[in-house]
Amino acid sequence: MRRLNLPLPLMSQLPKVAVIGVGHLGKWHAEKYAACADCELVAVVDTNAESAGAIAQQHGAETFSDYRDVIPLVDAISLVVPTSLHYKIGREFLEAGIHCLIEKPISESVTEAQTLVNVARDKGLVLQVGHIERFNSVMLGITEHLQQPQFIESTRLAPFTTRATDVSVILDLMIHDIDIILDLVDSPISRISASGISVLSDTIDIANARLEFENHCVANVTASRISRKRERKLRIFQKDAYLSADFQGKILALNRKGETDNAEGFKDITHEELGFEDNDALNLEVLDFINAIKTGNRPLVSGEDGKRALATAIAITTQIQRITMNIPMVDLKGQYETLKTEIDSAILQALGETRFILGPNVQAFDGEAADYLGAPHAISCANGTDALHLALLAAGIEPGDEVITSAFTFIATAEAIRYVGATPVFVDIQPHSFNLDPAWVRDAITDKTRAILPVHLFGQPADMDEIQALADEFDLLIIEDCAQSFGSRYHGKSTGTLGVAAAFSFFPSKNLGCYGDGGMVTTTDAATAERVKMLRNHGSSRQYHHDVIGFNSRLDELQAVILRIKLKHIDAYNGKRLQVARAYNERLAGSRFETPVIPSDRDHVFHQYTLLCEARDAAREAIIAKGVSCAVYYPVPLHRQQAFKDTQQPVLAVTESTAQRCLSLPIFPEMSEQQIETVCEAVLSA
């Protein structure tokens, strides 16, 4: 284990330092830098201008609300912000050539931590992580008496507060002891077992882990943030002795096997309280950081140390999640929590306005969705099935017509064709995209064919150039099923703008989903748009005047409120889904599971992430047994459904093989790296 190397050397130029984030802990960082003779505190940054101003004034520094403004002014920073911001802000400063002391944990993921370490190394910068307990006077005293630990026991308890519940107790408290133990043992971990539960927060509040090392040392680590008392204790057992450390009470004792026998014939145990020099741990941490900057020495707690502690903490968390946390297919609650304030406020405003039927939010959403998609016309309706029905009707599809479509999709696609009296003609799909195979579409065209209805399944656009060529050659309409593809693009154009009309669904689990049912028709044709508007509203173009028999299929005003808010985030949501899909593909590569292709000529938005595998049902059961949700979309193709027994029963080899082998994994924008790892481990072990 490394030992602290102070005092500082004298150098002519003082490093200029800023503290980013001056909340509970950051204000103390500012105080230590201000009192340090070997650096100059020049800036304090916080989004709370009042807090930042008060602390800056106290220490003679400048105040900033945007951290970017201090990049040209400083040589080093302390980053004391929520963990979710560590990577983004830390990387910006490191890439700008600025030394960083980042509070623990170093970041949210090992990948992020490694990137920070790499940038610091490549630029010759100090990256230190704020595991402050390493600077505790008790810890420094332990180093003088440490031999070869054989068993370590740590306990860290604290009363509950809301301050750090953005992370689990493992990343909040236990990681201190993880870092200490990894430094004391200095041997690779061979096995981890752990358990824990959430009690008061949405993350783990109490946890216990057993770490087994390759050198045969074992550590038992307990952390709780729901205790009535504070406690930070560590016991280190080594040959013929053990050290007992109380970080809270600043007590260090050495217990040894004595020389004389007691009455029972065993050696006496001697107890000696060890003296050590008390210190200010945070002050030593800051001095070590400045010393590393000025000398080029490695700090006591380096970025590599922080990454190692984080990796172990994540491994412990993953173990607990396997036992306690079911990973859902989609986490609507998690998404709502991030938008709660905005959604609740907007809903209350709409309730107060009491314009519930085709109100201002419905009208605004129609316009905003049209602008986003690049569609000349967008008309909302009650649900995605109605959107398909209205699109077909408005496009003039009639009884006796044939509409070519996929059998590997949700039943609504073919239901809507039946609603208008037409006949669905099912053709086979491509094996890798699961979308209509244009070659089979050509073979299915007859003199009764009026339209092709491609489904952009799971969020991947179909081969629209080939389908459009067929439509042009045979004078057919294209009506798109975009229920799963909001935001996807084909050669730069949004799905929903590639035919005469298209249907979208806003079912809650969709990429753009409301909190009930909702749908939309888009069209490039003004007459079709007017007809959809009439049909959705009882065939009426003006109140109480009805031109045709229509339907009651209007989007609810409150659902429009929600969709308007979510629409602003759809690109970010789809981008995060793509990141999850790429992470799955990377981790599952080379396994018995065939992963989906991510095409380069179109934007796949991964409404579903669907694998292919043999013995699918057994794999599904094994994955679910690990606490990971998975689903089969779709187990019975439409041409094999009882509802379509009176239609032609073609042999669709790829469709039927896919239906027997497909398996969809959880995918949603809020997925954490820990959840992705847990899913992949469950899949690979199935």
Side-chain angles (χ1 to χ4, degrees):
M1 64 179 292
R2 289 190 303 280
R3 287 171 167 75
L4 192 60
N5 184 21
L6 294 174
L8 296 165
L10 294 176
M11 295 183 70
S12 58
Q13 186 174 355
L14 300 182
K16 292 180 169 57
V17 182
V19 176
I20 316 298
V22 287
H24 174 75
L25 184 57
K27 62 184 178 183
W28 300 114
H29 277 251
E31 179 183 278
K32 304 308 175 188
Y33 286 119
C36 177
D38 294 283
C39 68
E40 180 184 358
L41 177 67
V42 298
V44 168
V45 183
D46 202 286
T47 54
N48 185 327
E50 186 177 350
S51 286
I55 292 168
Q57 183 177 17
Q58 180 182 352
H59 300 303
E62 288 189 72
T63 306
F64 296 88
S65 58
D66 188 335
Y67 66 86
R68 298 174 188 87
D69 292 337
V70 306
I71 289 176
L73 307 178
V74 299
D75 304 302
I77 64 161
S78 267
L79 187 56
V80 198
V81 297
T83 305
S84 59
L85 298 174
H86 284 186
Y87 174 71
K88 179 181 185 298
I89 298 177
R91 183 170 182 175
E92 286 187 51
F93 277 98
L94 288 169
E95 289 182 339
I98 295 168
H99 306 282
C100 291
L101 166 53
I102 301 178
E103 265 303 326
K104 62 84 193 165
I106 182 173
S107 62
E108 288 188 305
S109 74
V110 176
T111 301
E112 290 177 350
Q114 185 62 62
T115 299
L116 294 175
V117 169
N118 291 346
V119 174
R121 181 196 61 229
D122 293 345
K123 289 188 170 288
L125 298 170
V126 175
L127 173 59
Q128 182 169 328
V129 183
H131 287 284
I132 193 172
E133 207 74 284
R134 288 257 220 121
F135 296 89
N136 189 297
S137 51
V138 175
M139 183 64 194
L140 297 176
I142 287 173
T143 63
E144 303 301 321
H145 301 275
L146 188 70
Q147 298 173 11
Q148 177 136 8
Q150 296 176 342
F151 183 81
I152 300 175
E153 185 175 52
S154 72
T155 305
R156 190 170 293 260
L157 313 176
F160 183 78
T161 70
T162 59
R163 181 180 59 82
T165 52
D166 61 317
V167 295
S168 72
V169 71
I170 300 162
L171 292 177
D172 180 22
L173 298 181
M174 184 183 280
I175 197 166
H176 284 294
D177 295 313
I178 292 170
D179 172 65
I180 288 171
I181 290 166
L182 293 177
D183 185 57
L184 292 174
V185 177
D186 196 24
S187 174
I189 294 174
S190 58
R191 185 170 181 271
I192 296 175
S193 56
S195 61
I197 57 171
S198 61
V199 179
L200 297 177
S201 75
D202 292 333
T203 57
I204 300 165
D205 292 317
I206 182 169
N208 174 263
R210 177 183 170 90
L211 310 179
E212 298 178 21
F213 293 87
E214 289 183 5
N215 67 357
H216 306 300
C217 180
V218 174
N220 188 64
V221 193
T222 300
S224 170
R225 59 183 178 197
I226 53 171
S227 175
R228 294 177 62 88
K229 63 177 182 178
R230 293 187 182 277
E231 184 175 301
R232 295 147 52 200
K233 291 184 176 179
L234 182 75
R235 292 200 297 171
I236 305 166
F237 294 84
Q238 28 195 53
K239 184 175 175 58
D240 294 336
Y242 74 88
L243 289 160
S244 177
D246 182 345
F247 295 108
Q248 187 84 17
K250 297 290 183 77
I251 299 171
L252 178 62
L254 178 61
N255 301 275
R256 300 177 189 267
K257 183 166 70 173
E259 298 296 328
T260 59
D261 293 342
N262 58 24
E264 288 79 24
F266 294 98
K267 298 294 184 185
D268 283 325
I269 296 177
T270 64
H271 177 83
E272 176 188 1
E273 290 199 4
L274 303 172
F276 50 83
E277 183 180 348
D278 199 3
N279 62 39
D280 179 334
L282 181 57
N283 189 55
L284 279 183
E285 181 178 77
V286 164
L287 291 177
D288 187 45
F289 178 49
I290 299 300
N291 180 61
I293 292 169
K294 298 182 77 172
T295 65
N297 291 336
R298 181 173 175 170
L300 185 64
V301 187
S302 68
E304 282 285 357
D305 293 332
K307 184 193 74 171
R308 183 174 60 165
L310 176 67
T312 305
I314 289 175
I316 291 168
T317 303
T318 301
Q319 286 273 346
I320 294 171
Q321 286 176 339
R322 289 194 188 121
I323 301 169
T324 64
M325 188 178 76
N326 290 324
I327 299 178
M329 292 298 292
V330 62
D331 184 10
L332 295 179
K333 181 179 178 182
Q335 187 179 81
Y336 168 65
E337 289 297 329
T338 66
L339 302 173
K340 182 179 187 331
T341 301
E342 188 176 3
I343 286 176
D344 291 359
S345 174
I347 289 286
L348 288 174
Q349 182 177 343
L351 290 173
E353 291 172 351
T354 66
R355 298 171 64 187
F356 299 123
I357 305 299
L358 296 180
N361 282 288
V362 171
Q363 296 177 44
F365 175 64
D366 286 358
E368 290 161 1
D371 289 344
Y372 174 83
L373 295 168
H377 309 280
I379 308 98
S380 58
C381 59
N383 54 67
T385 306
D386 281 3
L388 284 162
H389 184 194
L390 296 175
L392 288 161
L393 273 178
I397 305 301
E398 300 174 340
D401 292 339
E402 291 180 352
V403 179
I404 297 172
T405 194
S406 171
F408 190 63
T409 181
F410 184 58
I411 192 173
T413 308
E415 268 184 330
I417 296 170
R418 277 293 181 85
Y419 287 162
V420 300
T423 300
V425 176
F426 299 115
V427 301
D428 217 345
I429 58 174
Q430 296 168 323
H432 300 299
S433 73
F434 310 138
N435 285 326
L436 276 182
D437 189 329
W440 289 107
V441 173
R442 175 180 286 277
D443 291 346
I445 295 172
T446 71
D447 57 1
K448 293 182 179 180
T449 305
R450 282 290 310 284
I452 305 171
L453 204 167
V455 181
H456 305 302
L457 196 71
F458 303 151
Q460 178 170 185
D463 283 346
M464 295 304 295
D465 284 349
E466 291 87 341
I467 291 171
Q468 184 65 60
L470 291 170
D472 293 342
E473 180 180 348
F474 293 96
D475 193 24
L476 304 176
L477 300 174
I478 294 176
I479 299 166
E480 301 170 78
D481 185 338
C482 303
Q484 300 180 1
S485 70
F486 196 98
S488 68
R489 292 174 176 82
Y490 180 81
H491 296 174
K493 293 186 67 176
S494 294
T495 56
T497 65
L498 304 172
V500 67
F504 290 89
S505 169
F506 302 126
F507 188 78
S509 64
K510 300 296 195 228
N511 294 34
L512 179 63
C514 54
Y515 294 159
D517 266 318
M520 174 169 279
V521 176
T522 56
T523 179
T524 57
D525 180 67
T528 301
E530 289 305 312
R531 187 164 172 79
V532 171
K533 286 180 182 178
M534 281 198 301
L535 289 170
R536 74 169 176 177
N537 191 30
H538 298 286
S540 174
S541 57
R542 56 194 178 110
Q543 195 170 28
Y544 303 127
H545 292 74
H546 305 276
D547 303 317
V548 296
I549 298 298
F551 306 90
N552 182 4
S553 183
R554 300 170 299 214
L555 181 67
D556 183 86
E557 177 76 356
L558 299 183
Q559 302 300 348
V561 168
I562 293 158
L563 288 167
R564 291 185 69 196
I565 292 169
K566 288 191 174 186
L567 179 61
K568 294 184 290 187
H569 302 279
I570 188 62
D571 284 340
Y573 291 159
N574 287 341
K576 289 178 181 177
R577 284 175 177 269
L578 180 59
Q579 288 177 13
V580 174
R582 284 177 169 152
Y584 279 156
N585 275 9
E586 180 182 342
R587 288 161 173 78
L588 299 176
S591 71
R592 73 182 185 94
F593 296 89
E594 184 179 336
T595 57
V597 173
I598 301 177
S600 59
D601 65 338
R602 65 201 72 182
D603 296 337
H604 194 331
V605 295
F606 282 96
H607 172 61
Q608 300 295 344
Y609 179 90
T610 301
L611 302 165
L612 296 176
C613 68
E614 302 302 327
R616 185 267 315 283
D617 293 340
R620 183 186 181 206
E621 289 179 10
I623 292 167
I624 291 172
K626 297 284 189 179
V628 173
S629 299
C630 54
V632 176
Y633 305 114
Y634 299 90
V636 182
L638 296 185
H639 71 298
R640 298 300 187 201
Q641 295 281 357
Q642 179 71 16
F644 296 103
K645 66 178 182 179
D646 58 342
T647 62
Q648 183 184 7
Q649 298 291 306
V651 175
L652 306 179
V654 178
T655 295
E656 293 182 19
S657 172
T658 301
Q660 293 171 3
R661 300 166 60 226
C662 62
L663 185 64
S664 297
L665 302 183
I667 189 165
F668 46 92
E670 299 76 20
M671 283 194 81
S672 67
E673 183 167 307
Q674 295 169 17
Q675 289 175 315
I676 293 169
E677 290 291 347
T678 300
V679 171
C680 291
E681 288 182 11
V683 171
L684 291 172
S685 66

